[in-house]
Amino acid sequence: MLYLSECLYNYHLRNSRRRFTTRLLTFCFRNLFRRKARTALCVLGVALATTFVIAVGSTTMRYTTVIKEMNVLFSGQVMVVSKDAIVIQAIPIAGGLFQESLAEDIKENIKEVEKAVPVLFITPIRFEEMIQLVPVNFSMGIPVEDWQLIIGPTPLKGGVGHFPTNESNSEVVIGASLADQYNWTVGKEIMVNGHKLNVTGVLDTKLALLNRCILMPLRLAQEIYYSKSKSVNIISVKPVQGCSQEELADAIEQQVEYVNALTEDERNDMIQPVLAQVETWNLGIQTVIFIMSLILVMTVTIMSISERRRDFATLDAIGAPLSYVFRLVILETSLIGVLGGILGIVFGSLTAIVLSSLYTNIPLAQFFPTILEIVPPIYMIEIFLAVVVVCCIGGIIPAINATRTRIAEILRTEY
Amino acid sequence: MMKIKTVDLTKTYRVGPSRIIAVDKVNFEVNKVTFTAIVGLSGSGKSTLLNLIGLNDCPTSGKIFIENTDTSLLSDRERRKIRLFHIGFVFQTFNLLPTLSALENVELSMSLAGKSQKEQREKAVRLLENVGLGDRLSHRPRELSIGEMQRVAIARALANDPEVIIADEPTGELDSKTAKEIIGLLFDINRNHKTTVIIATHDEKIVEIADMLYTIRDGKLKLEH
């Protein structure tokens, strides 16, 4: 008889598992909403933790991405910068000017050089902008015949307009983000450092650096920023075929004492420890926040279980399997994780764009359409899953406590 | 009919340095459908004995045989299945799950037993109608009177058609009128469903109608008739 009933039990259990789970879920919801204030506070706690993780994580991730992108522009080339320049990824953000003619000297004197392009990279850092982790607006002066070498095959938005064709005229192309922010369109006249410039195109690119950049002929850039002095702060050098970047860099450094010639790997190596530290800190902060969430969920659930000992004892008395009780508690904490995770992702994404706006002085409205670029969906999913898993883990000890509750003990101790 | 037999069943508890014998070498047997009453004062060991018989607790020594199977040899999972399929419990304080409606409380046992949703719903409605709660199906325990709660508990105990119902002072919290109704209900179940009822009580009315009467004092059980 016992064997027969067991077979029947297993057969029906398989067939009705889906409905059984739905019912279990309803049961969990009701249990959670039995103590509305406590559940709401716990969900809010998890949501705040998720918000913090998303906001800090996506903001730092965006900055590291922008910094990494800087190298994309000069991919495959050796960058020559002054030894006294302050550089991020070999892009000088302060000091380090030298004469444009150095590019010609390098081209003539070093046989490994196929092309040497002088570039003037301007980061107008002002005191009030020092709070920014990386500069937000850039200007770049490039000889008109060498656009492609620096920015690659970047098209213009909608195919409208053209790249500047003459070194001495006042034509510029601008990044899409700048265009949106200041409502600059093709044909518009803009003022930069007291000079009137004509916008001849808007760059269609995903690179944050180019999105915030004014590209202009080298001569024009020198005129605007350095009063016609023929100074530059970068020489982008392309090696001849068969020559490695390392060999070329060594040759340049031997030839010119006051410059650093940086290969792509060296540029990455310069920034990698900083990025690694940022990521380590980020991971550390996330870990601490997740542990705090785990403790919060565990504490609240232990409290809830101790208040509901009679219910669990009743389940034990009527023969509920241990797995049922275990699942009930784990599902409750998972629901807290799901609710907290969803709220946290919404709040976190909003906080991330507010932070981006604050740190860049770019209007908030401009960030809304790019919210999925600032907080990528894959990152949202990762954090969401992490939160749910953390909450599940937070439910394990309370669930074990719940499965250990026995009716005989309750009847003996509670009367 | 499920046969239950205990042999020298003993349960002791440690309270601080002292040892309390709650059930002392009890020999108890039910081998036909009966309405069995166990009467004793508070603290005499009634609830402990019922918990042992219902496999809710493990004895310190002695054996419990169900269908001639030594339950001490059963795993926790097997003991749970016996509780789920073969024994129904009615507690003094009803022990209904407060977040579930009357209907859901009854359905829960069947749901755990793997019955289909349709079967659960039809049977739960029928059981609740049988105990006079056809109009209180969707009410939560807090919306029911104590008499109604005990009726829901009885319906739940019957959900999986158990062979035995163990009722631990089911009228202890009830007024005399409701208590009489509940006793009548349990008696009907015993007679009409051919279900053995083992009931721990102080209630004299139960003593009068019981087929078998045991008294328990200081953990020692004695058959009266």
Side-chain angles (χ1 to χ4, degrees), chain A residues 120-320:
Chain A
L120 185 59
F121 195 91
I122 313 294
T123 54
I125 292 182
R126 295 188 298 273
F127 179 74
E128 63 270 26
E129 287 175 341
M130 288 304 280
I131 194 170
Q132 293 164 0
L133 295 177
V134 290
V136 176
N137 300 325
F138 312 90
S139 292
M140 204 163 16
I142 308 169
V144 288
E145 66 274 17
D146 295 316
W147 289 113
Q148 300 294 322
L149 191 74
I150 306 299
I151 64 167
T154 307
L156 293 176
K157 213 169 184 180
V160 179
H162 60 86
F163 283 95
T165 50
N166 192 312
E167 279 291 337
S168 56
N169 68 16
S170 55
E171 291 177 343
V172 295
V173 290
I174 56 172
S177 174
L178 277 181
D180 287 344
Q181 184 177 352
Y182 299 108
N183 205 19
W184 291 344
T185 51
V186 176
K188 185 119 182 173
E189 202 170 68
I190 61 172
M191 290 293 288
V192 175
N193 258 15
H195 290 71
K196 283 183 184 171
L197 304 174
N198 291 315
V199 177
T200 62
V202 177
L203 291 168
D204 189 2
T205 176
K206 290 274 180 197
L207 292 179
L209 185 72
L210 287 183
N211 256 327
R212 300 297 303 177
C213 190
I214 300 176
L215 284 180
M216 58 182 76
L218 178 60
R219 212 52 80 225
L220 181 63
Q222 288 167 338
E223 192 183 321
I224 292 173
Y225 294 103
Y226 293 107
S227 308
K228 297 185 181 178
S229 129
K230 291 195 173 179
S231 299
V232 292
N233 51 10
I234 304 171
I235 295 173
S236 175
V237 185
K238 189 178 177 186
V240 291
Q241 203 147 20
C243 173
S244 71
Q245 287 184 38
E246 287 74 17
E247 286 169 340
L248 176 60
D250 289 345
I252 293 170
E253 282 176 355
Q254 277 173 12
Q255 184 82 22
V256 190
E257 284 181 356
Y258 59 90
V259 296
N260 280 327
L262 303 165
T263 64
E264 209 172 331
D265 288 343
E266 284 173 328
R267 293 189 315 255
N268 279 331
D269 290 347
M270 281 169 71
I271 203 69
Q272 209 51 48
V274 180
L275 296 183
Q277 271 203 9
V278 169
E279 276 166 22
T280 307
W281 272 100
N282 202 9
L283 193 70
I285 290 170
Q286 284 185 5
T287 308
V288 170
I289 295 289
F290 280 138
I291 289 172
M292 284 165 66
S293 302
L294 187 137
I295 292 169
L296 170 74
V297 171
M298 200 183 286
T299 310
V300 168
T301 314
I302 284 176
M303 210 185 298
S304 167
I305 299 300
S306 66
E307 281 174 8
R308 289 154 54 203
R309 286 179 76 214
R310 179 175 291 274
D311 296 356
F312 291 111
T314 304
L315 285 171
D316 175 60
I318 64 173

Side-chain angles (χ1 to χ4, degrees), chain B residues 28-89:
Chain B
F28 171 87
E29 187 169 4
V30 176
N31 53 18
K32 59 181 183 182
V33 176
T34 54
F35 193 93
T36 303
I38 300 171
V39 181
L41 297 171
S42 288
S44 58
K46 299 188 297 293
S47 296
T48 306
L49 178 60
L50 290 191
N51 278 326
L52 290 169
I53 294 170
L55 305 185
N56 273 326
D57 207 354
C58 292
T60 311
S61 66
K63 303 266 184 202
I64 305 166
F65 293 92
I66 291 182
E67 293 287 312
N68 299 322
T69 304
D70 183 354
T71 58
S72 65
L73 303 175
L74 299 177
S75 66
D76 182 62
R77 189 182 158 87
E78 287 166 325
R79 292 162 68 89
R80 278 171 191 278
K81 280 188 182 164
I82 292 175
R83 292 206 292 272
L84 182 60
F85 288 102
H86 306 287
I87 303 173
F89 289 94

Side-chain angles (χ1 to χ4, degrees), chain A residues 353-364:
Chain A
I353 59 172
V354 169
L355 282 178
S356 296
S357 173
L358 278 176
Y359 279 106
T360 57
N361 292 327
I362 298 170
L364 194 60

